[in-house]
Amino acid sequence: MEFRISAELKNIIGQDLIVNDQVAIFELVKNSYDAHATRVDIIFAENKITIKDNGKGMSLDDLKNKWLFVAYSAKKDKQEDEELKSDDRYKDYRNKIDLKRGFAGAKGIGRFSADKIGENLKLITKNVKASNAHQLNVNWKDFENDSQKEFIKIGVKHTPLPSSDYQDLSHGVILEISNLKSKWDDDKIETLKKSLSKLINPLEINPQSNNFQIYITTQNSNVSEPISNDLVDILTLKTTKLEITINKKIIKSELTDRGILIYSIEEDNNCQHLKDTSIILLYLNTKAKVNFTRLMNVKAVHFGNIMLYNNGFRVYPYGEPNDDSLGIDRRHQQGHSRYLSTRNLIGSINVNEYSDEFKEKTSRDSGLIETNGYNELYDVFWSKSLKRLEKYVVSVQWSLDEIIRNEDGNSDNFSILDNTISQSKIIEIITNLVSRDKVKIKNFDANLVNLFNQQKPSEIIVSKLSKIAY
């Protein structure tokens, strides 16, 4: 006996998994990236959205055996770029393949994102190796008329296009999605722009992703505007920052406070699955929040908090406003005076492992699958980054803020290194790292020691400094 497949499958792996229009467009953009496109245009017209890229495009064989093969992923099957690797005529594409170690999507369901947006899809594609183009017309309603009808018996119209058609398309894909299922007003498009600006990790050093541009054209403007990524500006704000980089052997951490180095440390990497990952965490005090709002024209609480990027692309819902996937706010409720909340944090977790240990759940806004690799990432985030940043902020910064308030002073006139109480607390933090966490101190601000040239330190401070020096 054999399984039969109902036409209802289209809804199960399409509309039910792609939860909203924004996520649907993200999936289509990621497909363009995987096709080695350097540019994607999203064009809004009356009752139609067109998504056009300059990627490698699809051949007739690709349409039949990949795009129309439901749930099959040539990316996951490691067959996606084989034809380009073996042909000397496509050296540029081979170079792009070499630069990119993985794919943004690999489940074989992203093609159904168009169904979430509109009832009709016209797909025009021209492969980089072909002289002519191909067109598919899909009416998604055909799959909804009768759930008793078998999925594979519902036809999709194919039309070969002569080379004279779409002459401006040398290679790539054009998706024309019409009879839209929801209204795209100015506010919704603006929300999409802001979300797309955070879609690609600005700190990803992969040259392929750095050359990937997204443009949007609206009905009210004939000018295509590139989506700029401002996250890198935010992550360089002069505030309290902890940066962690993980390689195969070492975990490096550097804590700075408004440009002052608090400590730089190294420790052995005992993780099995984290070999190329980084974390940046920023604590936003009141002044930093004001600077953030001036820079971004939006309050930090409305921008989001700690975003997670997997292989250069953002994973939802991590970092969305009011999202608490990492459990930070649940813990904050247990002690407001001891723990930080997402309202005071912003940052990014950047996973570049290209491993099955870090895969998105099929429902595209549900985060990563909880594998052993994910559990390692979660533990490192808490133990190496959040708790260490929190220890510094609560014991040092908040104490200094209280002193400033009691003296009716201006925080601009105070420094953590002008105050023996703050300095003692910093020395205590560094000492505890050495003795408890067995880290190696690589560097710290020399003024932590120089202060005692002017006054005699206590025996306890001398003892702690000796441990650090040792």
Side-chain angles (χ1 to χ4, degrees):
M1 302 182 71
E2 297 176 341
F3 282 105
R4 298 172 61 204
I5 303 174
S6 164
E8 185 66 20
L9 177 70
K10 187 270 298 183
N11 290 337
I12 294 174
I13 63 176
Q15 295 188 50
D16 294 350
L17 293 181
I18 310 296
V19 294
N20 59 53
D21 292 346
Q22 181 173 286
V23 173
I25 288 183
F26 287 175
E27 288 300 308
L28 297 174
V29 169
K30 287 196 289 186
N31 283 346
S32 296
Y33 171 82
D34 287 341
H36 308 290
T38 57
R39 172 168 174 157
V40 177
D41 285 89
I42 304 172
I43 304 162
F44 291 88
E46 183 66 33
N47 203 25
K48 184 172 74 171
I49 298 174
T50 301
I51 301 175
K52 177 181 178 180
D53 71 51
N54 65 346
K56 65 177 183 177
M58 289 183 283
S59 64
L60 181 60
D61 183 71
D62 291 332
L63 289 173
K64 288 180 178 181
N65 298 314
K66 295 179 182 178
W67 201 88
L68 290 171
F69 195 173
V70 176
Y72 171 73
S73 173
K75 305 166 191 174
K76 186 176 180 180
D77 204 26
K78 304 186 187 303
Q79 298 297 316
E80 179 65 11
D81 294 321
E82 289 304 309
E83 76 279 10
L84 297 179
K85 292 179 182 178
S86 60
D87 196 324
D88 288 338
R89 291 177 296 172
Y90 306 104
K91 181 179 178 181
D92 288 343
Y93 274 91
R94 290 208 312 276
N95 290 339
K96 292 177 183 179
I97 293 166
D98 291 338
L99 288 172
K100 189 168 64 174
R101 292 175 290 162
F103 293 99
K107 286 187 178 293
I109 61 172
R111 67 207 68 171
F112 288 94
S113 298
D115 174 37
K116 186 69 179 180
I117 302 170
E119 293 180 2
N120 298 98
L121 169 67
K122 180 164 73 172
L123 181 156
I124 299 105
T125 183
K126 186 177 181 183
N127 184 259
V128 68
K129 299 170 65 175
S131 59
N132 62 321
H134 296 272
Q135 177 177 311
L136 290 182
N137 288 83
V138 184
N139 183 348
W140 299 112
K141 281 288 186 182
D142 291 343
F143 296 85
E144 301 173 5
N145 295 330
D146 184 2
S147 61
Q148 294 290 322
K149 196 167 184 179
E150 293 196 39
F151 185 91
I152 61 173
K153 293 184 178 179
I154 299 173
V156 174
K157 184 179 180 182
H158 164 250
T159 306
L161 300 176
S163 57
S164 57
D165 291 2
Y166 293 96
Q167 291 184 4
D168 59 333
L169 180 67
S170 58
H171 51 82
V173 172
I174 300 173
L175 303 175
E176 294 182 4
I177 305 169
S178 56
N179 291 325
L180 304 182
K181 296 180 178 179
S182 62
K183 184 179 179 181
W184 285 83
D185 56 21
D186 291 342
D187 289 341
K188 187 173 180 178
I189 294 174
E190 190 61 32
T191 299
L192 175 67
K193 287 181 180 179
K194 291 178 180 178
S195 297
L196 285 170
S197 74
K198 296 177 282 186
L199 177 62
I200 301 173
N201 184 359
L203 303 176
E204 171 65 59
I205 60 173
N206 184 334
Q208 171 73 353
S209 61
N210 288 341
N211 293 329
F212 186 69
Q213 293 288 327
I214 304 170
Y215 288 75
I216 283 187
T217 305
T218 64
Q219 285 184 259
N220 300 326
S221 173
N222 293 323
V223 179
S224 294
E225 298 180 356
I227 301 294
S228 60
N229 194 321
D230 299 316
L231 189 58
V232 68
D233 294 327
I234 296 168
L235 296 179
T236 55
L237 277 174
K238 203 171 184 180
T239 182
T240 309
K241 180 195 305 182
L242 179 62
E243 296 187 61
I244 295 175
T245 56
I246 303 172
N247 61 34
K248 292 179 181 180
K249 296 182 178 180
I250 298 294
I251 299 177
K252 299 179 181 180
S253 305
E254 183 174 286
L255 177 65
T256 57
D257 190 348
R258 285 160 286 187
I260 297 172
L261 176 66
I262 305 303
Y263 62 69
S264 174
I265 60 176
E266 287 185 0
E267 55 199 307
D268 292 338
N269 179 14
N270 297 316
C271 298
Q272 297 296 313
H273 305 288
L274 298 178
K275 307 299 179 184
D276 187 9
T277 288
S278 63
I279 300 172
I280 299 179
L281 272 187
L282 275 65
Y283 165 72
L284 302 180
N285 59 16
T286 301
K287 185 174 181 180
K289 289 178 181 177
V290 171
N291 291 336
F292 182 99
T293 302
R294 184 170 62 248
L295 176 67
M296 297 300 298
N297 295 319
V298 63
K299 291 184 177 180
V301 69
H302 297 141
F303 181 85
N305 48 81
I306 302 164
M307 301 165 202
L308 190 152
Y309 290 88
N310 187 24
N311 302 340
F313 274 83
R314 190 172 168 201
V315 179
Y316 278 76
Y318 305 101
E320 283 293 275
N322 303 318
D323 172 67
D324 191 34
S325 296
L326 297 170
I328 298 170
D329 289 335
R330 289 194 297 275
R331 178 169 169 270
H332 174 70
Q333 292 171 1
Q334 301 171 13
H336 289 244
S337 62
R338 292 177 292 146
Y339 304 132
L340 299 178
S341 73
T342 57
R343 296 178 66 90
N344 301 110
L345 294 166
I346 196 165
S348 65
I349 302 172
N350 315 296
V351 182
N352 295 302
E353 304 298 341
Y354 297 91
S355 164
D356 286 344
E357 291 291 323
F358 303 96
K359 295 194 298 185
E360 288 186 58
K361 295 178 181 177
T362 303
S363 181
R364 283 306 213 230
D365 69 336
S366 301
L368 295 177
I369 298 171
E370 294 182 13
T371 61
N372 291 333
Y374 175 82
N375 291 333
E376 270 190 353
L377 179 67
Y378 184 86
D379 290 342
V380 166
F381 170 77
W382 275 90
S383 63
K384 308 295 185 188
S385 56
L386 180 62
K387 287 185 177 180
R388 287 179 179 174
L389 177 67
E390 191 173 67
K391 180 70 175 177
Y392 173 81
V393 169
V394 173
S395 63
V396 178
Q397 265 219 357
W398 287 0
S399 297
L400 183 61
D401 289 344
E402 185 175 353
I403 293 172
I404 293 171
R405 285 194 299 270
N406 291 337
E407 297 184 7
D408 294 324
N410 186 329
S411 61
D412 290 338
N413 298 326
F414 285 79
S415 168
I416 52 172
L417 301 183
D418 294 336
N419 180 294
T420 55
I421 296 176
S422 296
Q423 287 186 311
S424 298
K425 289 180 180 291
I426 292 171
I427 291 170
E428 182 178 357
I429 288 172
I430 297 175
T431 305
N432 287 338
L433 287 172
V434 172
S435 58
R436 186 183 61 218
D437 293 347
K438 299 180 180 179
V439 304
K440 298 176 183 177
I441 304 297
K442 303 300 290 185
N443 200 3
F444 55 86
D445 196 289
N447 288 315
L448 286 172
V449 179
N450 291 342
L451 172 73
F452 300 115
N453 291 332
Q454 292 126 25
Q455 51 191 311
K456 185 178 179 180
S458 67
E459 291 184 7
I460 295 176
I461 291 296
V462 171
S463 174
K464 290 179 178 180
L465 286 170
S466 298
K467 283 186 179 181
I468 295 172
Y470 176 77

